[in-house]
Amino acid sequence: MNLLEIQSSVRQEGSVSRTLASKFIYHWQSHHPETHYHLRDVGQNVPTLITADWVAANVTPDEQKTDDQKAILAESEMLIAELLEADRIVLGVPMYNFGIPAHLKAYFDNVIRVGRTVDYNRDTASFSGLLTEKKALIISSRAGSYAPGTTAGAMDFCVPYLQFILNFLGIQDVEYVEVPYQGMGGEMQQQATETAIARLMELAKT
Ligand SMILES: Cc1cc2nc3c(=O)[nH]c(=O)nc-3n(C[C@H](O)[C@H](O)[C@H](O)COP(=O)(O)O)c2cc1C
């Protein structure tokens, strides 16, 4: 069992996403001691942004790729190999300006590649994700609360995007734990954090 944490908070000190992901993983490992854990910290080490040369290398058939093109894609290949090895994926994702951190978008731009993580069917003009048999958990901290179905929920371009992109990659089993009211202080933050931790402890058993 390989568990990959993809962490996208730019903060180390005081990061709610990091603290709650760590709590989940600690409890997960106590229930699943055979787990191999690996951290991909895109918040600290942002993946290289893709470029025109990257795009050209990506669409060049493997047998025609130059050494330079292989070098350009090396980071992407490494990130994909790591992702393919994972059975369980935990995403620590702060909401930044109603969306995901740019760091995480850079990660997805590197790992979403036809023939590697998704297939494209020309006849039906449709994609199918190759990351089947994997499960994902999104832990998303934010200052507000954006429960699905509420007025504020319509402003959440973070988790609906993540759910879509994980499904697009073939990961259908996606759990989501919202950690609202972070940084607001007081009873509401305390209560929301405790509720999120309790849910994560439940999920760690499954
Ligand atoms: C650059 C930036 C943008 C943010 N944008 C939002 C936002 O649009 N909505 C929101 O509810 N919180 C927003 N926040 C608050 C963070 O989501 C919240 O503090 C969260 O706990 C950060 O995650 P972390 O504690 O893991 O670092 C923002 C914070 C930062 C630093």
Side-chain angles (χ1 to χ4, degrees), residues 9 11 14-18 94-98 141-144 146 182:
S9 174
R11 297 197 297 171
S15 164
V16 178
S17 315
R18 285 179 193 274
M95 177 187 274
Y96 287 164
N97 300 313
F98 305 100
S141 51
R142 55 274 301 281
Y146 303 83
Q182 297 307 305

Short mmCIF file of all heavy atoms in Angstrom, two decimals, residues 9 11 14-18 94-98 141-144 146 182, ligand 1:
data_model
loop_
_atom_site.label_atom_id
_atom_site.label_comp_id
_atom_site.label_asym_id
_atom_site.label_seq_id
_atom_site.Cartn_x
_atom_site.Cartn_y
_atom_site.Cartn_z
N SER A 9 0.09 23.69 0.57
CA SER A 9 0.18 24.93 1.35
C SER A 9 1.59 25.49 1.22
O SER A 9 2.57 24.76 1.31
CB SER A 9 -0.11 24.68 2.84
OG SER A 9 0.13 25.89 3.55
N ARG A 11 2.71 27.42 3.36
CA ARG A 11 3.18 27.63 4.73
C ARG A 11 3.66 26.31 5.34
O ARG A 11 3.11 25.26 5.06
CB ARG A 11 2.03 28.16 5.60
CG ARG A 11 1.51 29.49 5.16
CD ARG A 11 0.71 30.15 6.24
NE ARG A 11 -0.49 29.41 6.64
CZ ARG A 11 -1.23 29.72 7.69
NH1 ARG A 11 -0.89 30.73 8.47
NH2 ARG A 11 -2.32 29.03 7.97
N GLY A 14 2.13 26.76 11.10
CA GLY A 14 0.72 27.11 11.24
C GLY A 14 -0.18 26.65 10.12
O GLY A 14 -1.34 27.05 10.06
N SER A 15 0.33 25.81 9.23
CA SER A 15 -0.51 25.35 8.12
C SER A 15 -1.53 24.32 8.60
O SER A 15 -1.18 23.27 9.12
CB SER A 15 0.35 24.73 7.01
OG SER A 15 -0.48 23.98 6.14
N VAL A 16 -2.80 24.63 8.37
CA VAL A 16 -3.88 23.73 8.78
C VAL A 16 -3.89 22.50 7.88
O VAL A 16 -4.08 21.37 8.35
CB VAL A 16 -5.23 24.49 8.69
CG1 VAL A 16 -6.39 23.58 9.05
CG2 VAL A 16 -5.20 25.74 9.56
N SER A 17 -3.68 22.71 6.58
CA SER A 17 -3.67 21.57 5.63
C SER A 17 -2.59 20.57 6.01
O SER A 17 -2.81 19.36 5.97
CB SER A 17 -3.39 22.05 4.22
OG SER A 17 -4.13 23.18 3.92
N ARG A 18 -1.42 21.09 6.36
CA ARG A 18 -0.32 20.20 6.74
C ARG A 18 -0.62 19.46 8.05
O ARG A 18 -0.43 18.25 8.16
CB ARG A 18 0.99 20.98 6.90
CG ARG A 18 1.59 21.39 5.59
CD ARG A 18 2.88 22.19 5.76
NE ARG A 18 3.22 22.79 4.49
CZ ARG A 18 3.91 22.19 3.52
NH1 ARG A 18 4.39 20.98 3.71
NH2 ARG A 18 4.13 22.81 2.38
N PRO A 94 -5.07 24.30 0.54
CA PRO A 94 -5.71 25.54 0.99
C PRO A 94 -6.47 26.18 -0.16
O PRO A 94 -6.03 26.06 -1.31
CB PRO A 94 -4.54 26.44 1.39
CG PRO A 94 -3.29 25.70 1.12
CD PRO A 94 -3.62 24.43 0.41
N MET A 95 -7.59 26.83 0.13
CA MET A 95 -8.22 27.65 -0.91
C MET A 95 -7.44 28.95 -1.01
O MET A 95 -7.23 29.64 -0.01
CB MET A 95 -9.68 27.94 -0.55
CG MET A 95 -10.35 28.85 -1.56
SD MET A 95 -12.01 29.37 -1.07
CE MET A 95 -13.00 28.04 -1.66
N TYR A 96 -6.97 29.28 -2.22
CA TYR A 96 -6.35 30.58 -2.48
C TYR A 96 -7.19 31.31 -3.53
O TYR A 96 -7.32 30.81 -4.67
CB TYR A 96 -4.92 30.41 -3.03
CG TYR A 96 -3.87 29.95 -2.03
CD1 TYR A 96 -2.65 29.45 -2.48
CD2 TYR A 96 -4.07 30.03 -0.65
CE1 TYR A 96 -1.67 29.04 -1.59
CE2 TYR A 96 -3.09 29.60 0.24
CZ TYR A 96 -1.90 29.11 -0.23
OH TYR A 96 -0.93 28.70 0.65
N ASN A 97 -7.76 32.43 -3.13
CA ASN A 97 -8.55 33.24 -4.08
C ASN A 97 -9.58 32.39 -4.82
O ASN A 97 -9.68 32.42 -6.04
CB ASN A 97 -7.62 34.00 -5.02
CG ASN A 97 -6.72 34.93 -4.22
OD1 ASN A 97 -7.19 35.65 -3.35
ND2 ASN A 97 -5.42 34.89 -4.47
N PHE A 98 -10.29 31.60 -4.02
CA PHE A 98 -11.42 30.78 -4.45
C PHE A 98 -11.03 29.57 -5.32
O PHE A 98 -11.90 28.83 -5.77
CB PHE A 98 -12.49 31.63 -5.16
CG PHE A 98 -12.95 32.78 -4.29
CD1 PHE A 98 -12.46 34.05 -4.49
CD2 PHE A 98 -13.82 32.56 -3.24
CE1 PHE A 98 -12.84 35.11 -3.66
CE2 PHE A 98 -14.22 33.60 -2.39
CZ PHE A 98 -13.72 34.88 -2.60
N SER A 141 -8.46 23.49 3.57
CA SER A 141 -8.63 24.54 4.59
C SER A 141 -8.95 25.85 3.89
O SER A 141 -8.51 26.10 2.77
CB SER A 141 -7.34 24.67 5.40
OG SER A 141 -6.25 24.81 4.52
N ARG A 142 -9.75 26.67 4.55
CA ARG A 142 -10.16 27.95 4.01
C ARG A 142 -10.68 28.84 5.13
O ARG A 142 -11.07 28.33 6.18
CB ARG A 142 -11.20 27.80 2.90
CG ARG A 142 -12.46 27.02 3.21
CD ARG A 142 -12.35 25.50 3.01
NE ARG A 142 -11.99 25.06 1.69
CZ ARG A 142 -12.85 25.00 0.65
NH1 ARG A 142 -14.10 25.34 0.81
NH2 ARG A 142 -12.44 24.57 -0.52
N ALA A 143 -10.71 30.15 4.86
CA ALA A 143 -11.15 31.09 5.88
C ALA A 143 -12.66 31.14 5.98
O ALA A 143 -13.22 31.43 7.04
CB ALA A 143 -10.60 32.49 5.57
N GLY A 144 -13.34 30.87 4.87
CA GLY A 144 -14.80 30.86 4.86
C GLY A 144 -15.33 29.44 4.96
O GLY A 144 -14.59 28.51 5.27
N TYR A 146 -17.80 26.87 2.54
CA TYR A 146 -18.33 26.81 1.17
C TYR A 146 -19.06 25.48 0.97
O TYR A 146 -18.76 24.75 0.03
CB TYR A 146 -17.20 26.97 0.16
CG TYR A 146 -16.40 28.24 0.31
CD1 TYR A 146 -15.36 28.33 1.23
CD2 TYR A 146 -16.69 29.36 -0.46
CE1 TYR A 146 -14.62 29.49 1.38
CE2 TYR A 146 -15.96 30.54 -0.32
CZ TYR A 146 -14.93 30.59 0.61
OH TYR A 146 -14.20 31.75 0.75
N GLN A 182 -10.79 28.91 8.96
CA GLN A 182 -9.41 28.91 9.45
C GLN A 182 -8.83 30.32 9.42
O GLN A 182 -9.00 31.05 8.44
CB GLN A 182 -8.56 27.95 8.62
CG GLN A 182 -9.04 26.53 8.76
CD GLN A 182 -9.15 26.10 10.23
OE1 GLN A 182 -8.17 26.20 10.98
NE2 GLN A 182 -10.32 25.63 10.64
C1 LIG B 1 -3.12 34.00 -0.85
C2 LIG B 1 -4.29 33.53 -0.03
C3 LIG B 1 -5.55 33.54 -0.59
C4 LIG B 1 -6.64 33.10 0.15
N1 LIG B 1 -7.87 33.07 -0.43
C5 LIG B 1 -8.93 32.60 0.27
C6 LIG B 1 -10.22 32.53 -0.33
O1 LIG B 1 -10.44 32.87 -1.49
N2 LIG B 1 -11.25 32.07 0.44
C7 LIG B 1 -11.07 31.65 1.73
O2 LIG B 1 -12.04 31.22 2.35
N3 LIG B 1 -9.84 31.68 2.30
C8 LIG B 1 -8.78 32.14 1.60
N4 LIG B 1 -7.54 32.18 2.19
C9 LIG B 1 -7.37 31.63 3.56
C10 LIG B 1 -6.72 30.26 3.53
O3 LIG B 1 -7.44 29.36 2.70
C11 LIG B 1 -6.66 29.68 4.96
O4 LIG B 1 -5.89 30.53 5.76
C12 LIG B 1 -6.06 28.29 4.98
O5 LIG B 1 -6.06 27.80 6.29
C13 LIG B 1 -4.64 28.25 4.42
O6 LIG B 1 -4.14 26.94 4.42
P1 LIG B 1 -2.92 26.52 5.37
O7 LIG B 1 -3.36 26.84 6.78
O8 LIG B 1 -2.75 25.06 5.16
O9 LIG B 1 -1.72 27.30 4.96
C14 LIG B 1 -6.45 32.63 1.48
C15 LIG B 1 -5.16 32.65 2.04
C16 LIG B 1 -4.09 33.09 1.29
C17 LIG B 1 -2.71 33.06 1.91
#
